[in-house]
Amino acid sequence: MNFCAARHAKQVQQYIADLRPVFQPQAVFSDESPWFREPFEPCPGDTVKIRIRTLKNNVESIYLVANEKRRQMQLAETRRGFDYYEASLPVGREKISYFFELRSGHMVAFYNKQGITRDLAERNAFRIHPDFSTPEWARGAVMYQIFTDRFRRGNPNNDVKTGEYAYLGSLVQHVDDWNKAPDAMDVRNFYGGDLEGVEEKLDYLHNLGVEVIYFNPIFLSPSNHKYDIQDYDHIDPHYARVVRDDGGLLSEGDLDNRHATRYIRRVTDPENLAASDEYFAHLTHEIHKRGMRVILDGVFNHCGSFNKWLDRERIYENEDGYEKGAFVSEHSPYRTFFRFNNEHAWPYNEYYDGWWGHETLPKLNYEDSPKLVDYILQIAKKWVSPPYNVDGWRLDVAADLGRTSEYNHTFWKLFRKAVREANPEAIILAEHYGESYDWLQGDEWDTVMNYDAFMEPVSWFLTGMEKHSDQYREDLIGNGEAFINTMRYHMASFMGGSLLCAMNELDNHDHSRFLTRTNHYVGRVGTLGTAAAGENILPPVMREAVLIQMTFPGAPTIYYGDEAGVVGFTDPDNRRTYPWGREDLDMLCYYREAVLLHKRWECLKTGALQLIEGGRHYISYARFTDSEEIIVVVNSHCEQIDVEIPVWIAGVERSGSTILEQIFVTDGDGFSLDRSEQAVEDGILKRTMQPYEAVAFLLKK
């Protein structure tokens, strides 16, 4: 026997056995979803299990680096061609930041929210914030935004009357034609939509699949948008109940609201205010009975010039039961609620700070007024408590509140504490443009309106349009690589729970309707005209956007009327009325099925997100849990394209044949729920994508 030859053969066999494949960075995956961190939102005293997945035999070892302490992870299992490594981490009261270190021979790589990277900046680390939790009901919840004046007219007795009062130098107007498009100067036009109209359509919303109703402001205010609050303590009787309704209207040419006796009666009479608050409590009860939730718009950065604390219109000056406003008297109990720049101008001191210089939007002066702080915190608690039991706040221009960033963070910490003490299940959801990382540290906001990591990337990829229709960019339409990179970067600002609750909108009351953006018209109604918003629109592109919305992490939020085919340039044109009886029934049917898809599969609500690949005109990604997985591929182009998607990255077997089941598809001709099979060979999905096709595949596990 040739022992030398035998020994050499054994050495060769051992070398081959030990030989690892070339490191595949795209095979590495972890995130902050419940499937890679358990418990998902740990509390002090918990031991959290952290997992990471990589291709079988892809690495020799993986280390968890948490708060600069490094511990080796153990291979827990091998499944479907992937190795899963685990490590346990005790949780105290300090925040934990972590990333992963992977080693194979001389190769060292790091993995954080940017994937395999050398950028170990703190914002890109995975984070655990003990005691931070998001409401379970909000994760992946289907939300519906209502601009109340334009949704449904239920009770004509509470309508704003033409000439009832003056606003911004002219008399307010009641619009008799429900189907009329908004005027360019629309703020003082009222169509009569109200809360009773919402109640009439609760079953419609429930059948659509809505789980949360988000109301634009409904507190007493003189404008139709109501971001100029007149009284935080009460629901506007024009939206609810007017039980005492005497007094006169203003005559043409009379703009003095002291003479607006009918308006004064409606908005100051205790019976009207009590009846309106009582009706709102009834409405929230009816919403809750159907298993839905309610979010109110909190406008706490500024109020309105009509506000009873200021009373620039002198509406409250001579009314029983009301203190003098700070505009009226320097001795007003609300004097410190505002910053005045001329101490010698009373009575009727008009030299106060306005938000962005708008005298109709007085800036609230928190730093100089502990009384104001306490008042607003009491308001925050009041509406999330019985008998109203609202389920959370959407915070208007939340990063602007206060005069310094230091105070801003101080206030929102107080706000969160007050709200959660009153209602531990209430959500705190902020409007903010730009980086939200500093506020998403577990002790201020739960989440945000998701402009950076949803609305804008989707709009650029599918339409090439900026969210106001102010710009078209040829370099971004169909740019799948830019979409993937942008999403990956901006999602790093969120913790796992914050991302799952983020308000994912295609449009809202501040931006052009998404369906209008599909026509690529740059401009606004003032330059293009009302009719242009509906010209050359592309419903197939809208359907693609909705499928992305219903399959991406977050709370998909429908702006009222989008499901019915409403169009419009940026505000006020985007605030057209809901077209009852004139709906686009095909779009409405599509929305119902897309919402049903989202609600049927747990992976689309709380599952991990793996961004697979983006290229010219296409994107692909997967959502998955331990038991189910859905893969989505989208073609933004008006022509067929051939794609080869490496779906093995998302857990499809890398060798041999695998069958995916097509469960939802939309393209230029319509949409279909018919199921069919899609063969995958060696982990690569090859498909000719039809024009404007978006498809969801189910990977059976």
PDB file of all heavy atoms in Angstrom, residues 352-363:
ATOM      1  N   TYR A 352     -46.637  90.490  17.816  1.00  0.00           N
ATOM      2  CA  TYR A 352     -46.295  89.171  18.360  1.00  0.00           C
ATOM      3  C   TYR A 352     -45.607  88.352  17.267  1.00  0.00           C
ATOM      4  O   TYR A 352     -45.765  88.617  16.073  1.00  0.00           O
ATOM      5  CB  TYR A 352     -47.550  88.457  18.868  1.00  0.00           C
ATOM      6  CG  TYR A 352     -48.664  88.344  17.854  1.00  0.00           C
ATOM      7  CD1 TYR A 352     -48.685  87.312  16.914  1.00  0.00           C
ATOM      8  CD2 TYR A 352     -49.696  89.285  17.814  1.00  0.00           C
ATOM      9  CE1 TYR A 352     -49.694  87.207  15.980  1.00  0.00           C
ATOM     10  CE2 TYR A 352     -50.711  89.196  16.877  1.00  0.00           C
ATOM     11  CZ  TYR A 352     -50.699  88.148  15.951  1.00  0.00           C
ATOM     12  OH  TYR A 352     -51.704  88.061  15.009  1.00  0.00           O
ATOM     13  N   ASP A 353     -44.879  87.337  17.695  1.00  0.00           N
ATOM     14  CA  ASP A 353     -44.201  86.463  16.737  1.00  0.00           C
ATOM     15  C   ASP A 353     -45.217  85.559  16.050  1.00  0.00           C
ATOM     16  O   ASP A 353     -46.045  84.917  16.714  1.00  0.00           O
ATOM     17  CB  ASP A 353     -43.169  85.587  17.448  1.00  0.00           C
ATOM     18  CG  ASP A 353     -41.884  86.329  17.741  1.00  0.00           C
ATOM     19  OD1 ASP A 353     -41.778  87.507  17.360  1.00  0.00           O
ATOM     20  OD2 ASP A 353     -40.990  85.728  18.375  1.00  0.00           O
ATOM     21  N   GLY A 354     -45.127  85.493  14.747  1.00  0.00           N
ATOM     22  CA  GLY A 354     -45.920  84.553  13.972  1.00  0.00           C
ATOM     23  C   GLY A 354     -45.016  83.502  13.359  1.00  0.00           C
ATOM     24  O   GLY A 354     -43.854  83.775  13.039  1.00  0.00           O
ATOM     25  N   TRP A 355     -45.538  82.291  13.214  1.00  0.00           N
ATOM     26  CA  TRP A 355     -44.748  81.217  12.594  1.00  0.00           C
ATOM     27  C   TRP A 355     -44.491  81.577  11.132  1.00  0.00           C
ATOM     28  O   TRP A 355     -45.421  81.867  10.387  1.00  0.00           O
ATOM     29  CB  TRP A 355     -45.500  79.888  12.720  1.00  0.00           C
ATOM     30  CG  TRP A 355     -44.738  78.721  12.197  1.00  0.00           C
ATOM     31  CD1 TRP A 355     -43.498  78.303  12.591  1.00  0.00           C
ATOM     32  CD2 TRP A 355     -45.178  77.798  11.186  1.00  0.00           C
ATOM     33  NE1 TRP A 355     -43.126  77.173  11.886  1.00  0.00           N
ATOM     34  CE2 TRP A 355     -44.137  76.848  11.008  1.00  0.00           C
ATOM     35  CE3 TRP A 355     -46.327  77.690  10.416  1.00  0.00           C
ATOM     36  CZ2 TRP A 355     -44.228  75.805  10.106  1.00  0.00           C
ATOM     37  CZ3 TRP A 355     -46.424  76.645   9.510  1.00  0.00           C
ATOM     38  CH2 TRP A 355     -45.386  75.717   9.354  1.00  0.00           C
ATOM     39  N   TRP A 356     -43.206  81.607  10.764  1.00  0.00           N
ATOM     40  CA  TRP A 356     -42.778  82.025   9.426  1.00  0.00           C
ATOM     41  C   TRP A 356     -43.343  83.408   9.077  1.00  0.00           C
ATOM     42  O   TRP A 356     -43.596  83.714   7.916  1.00  0.00           O
ATOM     43  CB  TRP A 356     -43.193  80.996   8.365  1.00  0.00           C
ATOM     44  CG  TRP A 356     -42.370  79.754   8.426  1.00  0.00           C
ATOM     45  CD1 TRP A 356     -42.637  78.635   9.160  1.00  0.00           C
ATOM     46  CD2 TRP A 356     -41.132  79.496   7.747  1.00  0.00           C
ATOM     47  NE1 TRP A 356     -41.658  77.688   8.974  1.00  0.00           N
ATOM     48  CE2 TRP A 356     -40.735  78.190   8.108  1.00  0.00           C
ATOM     49  CE3 TRP A 356     -40.345  80.239   6.860  1.00  0.00           C
ATOM     50  CZ2 TRP A 356     -39.556  77.618   7.625  1.00  0.00           C
ATOM     51  CZ3 TRP A 356     -39.177  79.658   6.373  1.00  0.00           C
ATOM     52  CH2 TRP A 356     -38.796  78.367   6.759  1.00  0.00           C
ATOM     53  N   GLY A 357     -43.571  84.242  10.109  1.00  0.00           N
ATOM     54  CA  GLY A 357     -44.025  85.604   9.893  1.00  0.00           C
ATOM     55  C   GLY A 357     -45.511  85.762   9.644  1.00  0.00           C
ATOM     56  O   GLY A 357     -45.979  86.880   9.411  1.00  0.00           O
ATOM     57  N   HIS A 358     -46.282  84.666   9.725  1.00  0.00           N
ATOM     58  CA  HIS A 358     -47.717  84.736   9.460  1.00  0.00           C
ATOM     59  C   HIS A 358     -48.447  85.216  10.717  1.00  0.00           C
ATOM     60  O   HIS A 358     -48.455  84.521  11.740  1.00  0.00           O
ATOM     61  CB  HIS A 358     -48.258  83.371   9.037  1.00  0.00           C
ATOM     62  CG  HIS A 358     -47.691  82.868   7.748  1.00  0.00           C
ATOM     63  ND1 HIS A 358     -47.957  83.471   6.539  1.00  0.00           N
ATOM     64  CD2 HIS A 358     -46.868  81.817   7.479  1.00  0.00           C
ATOM     65  CE1 HIS A 358     -47.336  82.811   5.571  1.00  0.00           C
ATOM     66  NE2 HIS A 358     -46.660  81.811   6.117  1.00  0.00           N
ATOM     67  N   GLU A 359     -49.099  86.370  10.626  1.00  0.00           N
ATOM     68  CA  GLU A 359     -49.798  86.893  11.799  1.00  0.00           C
ATOM     69  C   GLU A 359     -51.028  86.059  12.146  1.00  0.00           C
ATOM     70  O   GLU A 359     -51.514  86.106  13.279  1.00  0.00           O
ATOM     71  CB  GLU A 359     -50.200  88.347  11.571  1.00  0.00           C
ATOM     72  CG  GLU A 359     -51.225  88.568  10.468  1.00  0.00           C
ATOM     73  CD  GLU A 359     -51.595  90.031  10.311  1.00  0.00           C
ATOM     74  OE1 GLU A 359     -50.775  90.907  10.668  1.00  0.00           O
ATOM     75  OE2 GLU A 359     -52.715  90.291   9.827  1.00  0.00           O
ATOM     76  N   THR A 360     -51.525  85.269  11.187  1.00  0.00           N
ATOM     77  CA  THR A 360     -52.660  84.389  11.481  1.00  0.00           C
ATOM     78  C   THR A 360     -52.222  83.112  12.189  1.00  0.00           C
ATOM     79  O   THR A 360     -53.077  82.321  12.613  1.00  0.00           O
ATOM     80  CB  THR A 360     -53.406  84.015  10.186  1.00  0.00           C
ATOM     81  OG1 THR A 360     -52.488  83.391   9.286  1.00  0.00           O
ATOM     82  CG2 THR A 360     -54.024  85.238   9.547  1.00  0.00           C
ATOM     83  N   LEU A 361     -50.898  82.893  12.315  1.00  0.00           N
ATOM     84  CA  LEU A 361     -50.371  81.687  12.959  1.00  0.00           C
ATOM     85  C   LEU A 361     -49.401  82.086  14.077  1.00  0.00           C
ATOM     86  O   LEU A 361     -48.179  81.934  13.940  1.00  0.00           O
ATOM     87  CB  LEU A 361     -49.665  80.794  11.933  1.00  0.00           C
ATOM     88  CG  LEU A 361     -50.505  80.315  10.746  1.00  0.00           C
ATOM     89  CD1 LEU A 361     -49.646  79.539   9.762  1.00  0.00           C
ATOM     90  CD2 LEU A 361     -51.679  79.460  11.217  1.00  0.00           C
ATOM     91  N   PRO A 362     -49.903  82.598  15.178  1.00  0.00           N
ATOM     92  CA  PRO A 362     -49.014  83.022  16.272  1.00  0.00           C
ATOM     93  C   PRO A 362     -48.183  81.855  16.800  1.00  0.00           C
ATOM     94  O   PRO A 362     -48.714  80.783  17.104  1.00  0.00           O
ATOM     95  CB  PRO A 362     -49.978  83.525  17.348  1.00  0.00           C
ATOM     96  CG  PRO A 362     -51.277  83.735  16.655  1.00  0.00           C
ATOM     97  CD  PRO A 362     -51.322  82.785  15.514  1.00  0.00           C
ATOM     98  N   LYS A 363     -46.901  82.096  16.912  1.00  0.00           N
ATOM     99  CA  LYS A 363     -45.981  81.080  17.446  1.00  0.00           C
ATOM    100  C   LYS A 363     -46.168  80.980  18.960  1.00  0.00           C
ATOM    101  O   LYS A 363     -46.195  81.992  19.670  1.00  0.00           O
ATOM    102  CB  LYS A 363     -44.542  81.490  17.117  1.00  0.00           C
ATOM    103  CG  LYS A 363     -43.452  80.629  17.708  1.00  0.00           C
ATOM    104  CD  LYS A 363     -43.184  79.389  16.909  1.00  0.00           C
ATOM    105  CE  LYS A 363     -41.936  78.667  17.416  1.00  0.00           C
ATOM    106  NZ  LYS A 363     -41.752  77.364  16.783  1.00  0.00           N
TER     107      LYS A 363
END
